[in-house]
Amino acid sequence: MTEPSKVIHIRNVGHEIAENDLLQLVQPFGVVTKLVMLRAKNQALLQMHDVSSAVNAIQYYTNVQPSVRGRNVYIQFSSHQELTTMDQNAQGRKGGEQDSQPNRILLVTIHHLLYPITVEVLHQVFSPHGFVEKIVTFQKSAGSQALIQYQSRQSAVQARNALQGRNIYDGCCQLDIQFSNLSELQVNYNNERSRDFTNPSLPSEQKGRSSQPGYGDAGVAFPQMGNAAAIAAAFSGGLPPGISGTNDRCTILVSNLNPEKIDEDKLFNLFSIYGNIIRIKFLRSKPDHALIQMGDGFQAELAVHFLKGALLFGKRLEANFSKHANINAAPDTHEYAGSNLNRFNRNAVKNYRYCCAPTKMIHLSTLPPEITEEEIVSHLEEHGTIVNTKLFEVNGKKQALVLFESEEQATEALVCKHASTIDRSVIRISFSQLQNI
């Protein structure tokens, strides 16, 4: 058994647990002089003012199970008698993990991830401390992580000293920075997941081909979709109810489709309301199933949240996160990464703001200037009963609202007629949150 120490070791410290939560746990027993969060290990070290305070806390929690934010945590004496300055850089104690030596490559773990953090955001945060050569992002059990390679070790040390424990945004996206033991990062693609700033000529991804002109352009770089600033601006810092903002799975499995009426481009039209689409693939063995890879995990979460249970072509859709991290390029996979029809290429703030579940009302834009309500009705009436329409102008451009009898009819009209052409104008359709015209 570990000898009594004024340093307390706490295990099962989830990412939702803040330093102040742990302080409240032990402060009734005495003054806390130091606190080290070992985020990579879900652990923490607390140093009390004296051994007797630590003994009182340990004795109390021997009989009472401590719980923080609904999570049971486990408290014991640390093998350390004192926390030194170097201890604050340590990421493992009894678990056997060794302190990494200063290195030009940093391992960054991001906690309290309310907004997706992109390569661009990381570059903006870390580049003031030196030339950043490469960035690679990935997901691990510890959370959203990135490897950041500087040109010099001195820059990496300076960045770690300046940024360790800081938040990228107020109250969220906390940085936990360690030195990596890697000597060189290998980057194969310049895209939303990785970037080699010393080699801008790298491809964005493996090349592929779209099924339909206008829906894809092979080899075009896919823009950054997980734009945290745009998301924060769209939702005023607070996400819609039911949206966690922490999902990291980009691929969705959609089932219970009507295989006789649906295809990749129609799925694109529907799911592109919630984010940019990279690839879509129907499953050969299950023709009513399809995989859809979104631009990032946040966009995938929006799509699953708003489309689960939606009615389309007489079927109620089932949407869940896939076990597949992405969809591999293949002859039966349809590419959309470079499509100019992806809605979030431009004005992402407005598009995030308009995300909602299917409604009876659709909004049409980029209409031809001389269009009439009769022409709009004629273009859409095959998909259901149109209750009302309204044609209007915004900044001199024609737009329209069309109210259908049911959400299913409006959804079918959107799926079939988004990106269709009226008098040489490619129209855009989205759901409107208005109840009446």
Side-chain angles (χ1 to χ4, degrees):
M1 181 176 178
T2 306
E3 294 182 2
S5 163
K6 60 182 177 181
V7 181
I8 295 173
H9 178 214
I10 306 178
R11 294 179 291 115
N12 200 35
V13 179
H15 297 156
E16 73 278 10
I17 296 176
E19 292 183 5
N20 193 52
D21 297 324
L22 298 181
L23 290 175
Q24 292 180 18
L25 198 65
V26 299
Q27 278 178 337
F29 305 97
V31 176
V32 178
T33 59
K34 291 181 182 178
L35 170 60
V36 180
M37 301 292 283
L38 309 176
R39 289 294 190 185
K41 286 290 188 179
N42 286 347
Q43 297 174 11
L45 294 170
L46 287 141
Q47 181 172 308
M48 307 298 290
H49 179 69
D50 50 41
V51 175
S52 61
S53 298
V55 169
N56 290 336
I58 295 294
Q59 287 179 342
Y60 177 80
Y61 288 120
T62 299
N63 301 315
V64 176
Q65 172 61 59
S67 178
V68 181
R69 295 186 181 268
R71 176 192 287 264
N72 287 340
V73 297
Y74 304 96
I75 297 179
Q76 63 190 43
F77 289 116
S78 170
S79 59
H80 292 265
Q81 293 298 313
E82 187 92 18
L83 288 181
T84 66
T85 302
M86 286 304 294
D87 287 326
Q88 298 187 35
N89 296 334
Q91 291 300 306
R93 295 299 186 273
K94 295 175 69 177
E97 187 174 329
Q98 300 298 315
D99 293 346
S100 297
Q101 296 299 313
N103 181 14
R104 68 184 183 127
I105 301 178
L106 299 176
L107 172 61
V108 181
T109 304
I110 304 164
H111 303 294
H112 309 300
L113 189 71
L114 291 186
Y115 310 118
I117 299 300
T118 66
V119 166
E120 273 82 4
V121 170
L122 289 170
H123 186 261
Q124 185 177 2
V125 171
F126 283 86
S127 61
H129 305 283
F131 180 71
V132 175
E133 292 184 333
K134 300 174 183 178
I135 297 178
V136 176
T137 63
F138 52 96
Q139 294 293 327
K140 290 289 187 181
S141 58
S144 181
Q145 294 187 308
L147 288 164
I148 298 177
Q149 179 174 312
Y150 278 97
Q151 192 174 52
S152 71
R153 185 175 66 176
Q154 182 180 356
S155 295
V157 172
Q158 180 181 334
R160 188 186 186 282
N161 290 339
L163 298 173
Q164 169 63 14
R166 299 281 295 276
N167 292 334
I168 296 178
Y169 298 101
D170 288 344
C172 67
C173 302
Q174 184 185 50
L175 297 172
D176 182 10
I177 306 172
Q178 307 169 50
F179 293 109
S180 169
N181 57 9
L182 298 175
S183 58
E184 182 75 26
L185 293 183
Q186 180 175 347
V187 176
N188 297 319
Y189 302 108
N190 286 336
N191 56 25
E192 72 274 12
R193 297 174 298 278
S194 61
R195 191 70 51 86
D196 186 343
F197 296 95
T198 68
N199 187 6
S201 63
L202 284 176
S204 63
E205 198 64 89
Q206 292 181 348
K207 295 185 176 182
R209 200 98 176 111
S210 172
S211 61
Q212 180 173 320
Y215 275 82
D217 188 5
V220 176
F222 193 76
Q224 283 296 312
M225 291 303 104
N227 188 298
I231 297 169
F235 298 117
S236 302
L239 298 178
I243 301 293
S244 71
T246 60
N247 172 63
D248 55 30
R249 291 169 289 181
C250 300
T251 305
I252 301 168
L253 176 64
V254 187
S255 59
N256 203 34
L257 296 165
N258 187 330
E260 296 180 359
K261 294 187 176 182
I262 197 71
D263 60 27
E264 290 86 354
D265 293 331
K266 289 175 182 175
L267 279 179
F268 172 92
N269 288 347
L270 180 59
F271 279 79
S272 65
I273 294 174
Y274 308 100
N276 281 352
I277 309 298
I278 297 179
R279 296 186 179 104
I280 296 178
K281 178 180 181 178
F282 277 89
L283 305 187
R284 289 182 183 177
S285 59
K286 298 178 180 178
D288 65 337
H289 285 56
L291 291 171
I292 301 174
Q293 184 177 341
M294 307 289 290
D296 60 40
F298 179 72
Q299 295 178 351
E301 185 178 19
L302 288 174
V304 169
H305 177 76
F306 287 122
L307 290 180
K308 185 186 285 285
L311 281 169
L312 178 62
F313 298 128
K315 299 281 190 175
R316 193 170 293 279
L317 300 185
E318 185 60 41
N320 295 289
F321 300 112
S322 171
K323 63 181 180 181
H324 299 286
N326 49 56
I327 304 173
N328 294 326
D332 58 347
T333 297
H334 293 250
E335 299 280 341
Y336 296 94
S339 173
N340 58 9
L341 295 176
N342 267 313
R343 301 171 191 251
F344 290 72
N345 289 339
R346 297 171 297 276
N347 207 346
V349 171
K350 183 179 74 172
N351 283 290
Y352 278 124
R353 190 176 295 139
Y354 291 161
C355 286
C356 66
T359 66
K360 298 178 184 179
M361 185 98 69
I362 58 174
H363 175 263
L364 285 70
S365 59
T366 63
L367 294 167
E370 304 301 324
I371 195 168
T372 64
E373 289 192 23
E374 289 74 17
E375 289 175 304
I376 292 173
V377 170
S378 176
H379 193 67
L380 299 174
E381 62 184 351
E382 67 179 292
H383 302 293
T385 302
I386 295 175
V387 177
N388 202 358
T389 62
K390 181 180 180 180
L391 188 62
F392 57 97
E393 284 190 13
V394 175
N395 297 326
K397 297 181 179 180
K398 286 288 181 69
Q399 300 185 21
L401 291 170
V402 179
L403 179 62
F404 280 87
E405 194 172 54
S406 69
E407 293 173 5
E408 183 179 8
Q409 293 173 1
T411 303
E412 180 180 323
L414 182 150
V415 161
C416 295
K417 293 298 167 62
H418 174 68
S420 62
T421 301
I422 301 179
D423 193 20
R424 297 190 300 276
S425 294
V426 178
I427 66 173
R428 293 168 60 91
I429 304 178
S430 58
F431 292 113
S432 171
Q433 299 179 43
L434 296 174
Q435 299 298 314
N436 294 292
I437 295 177

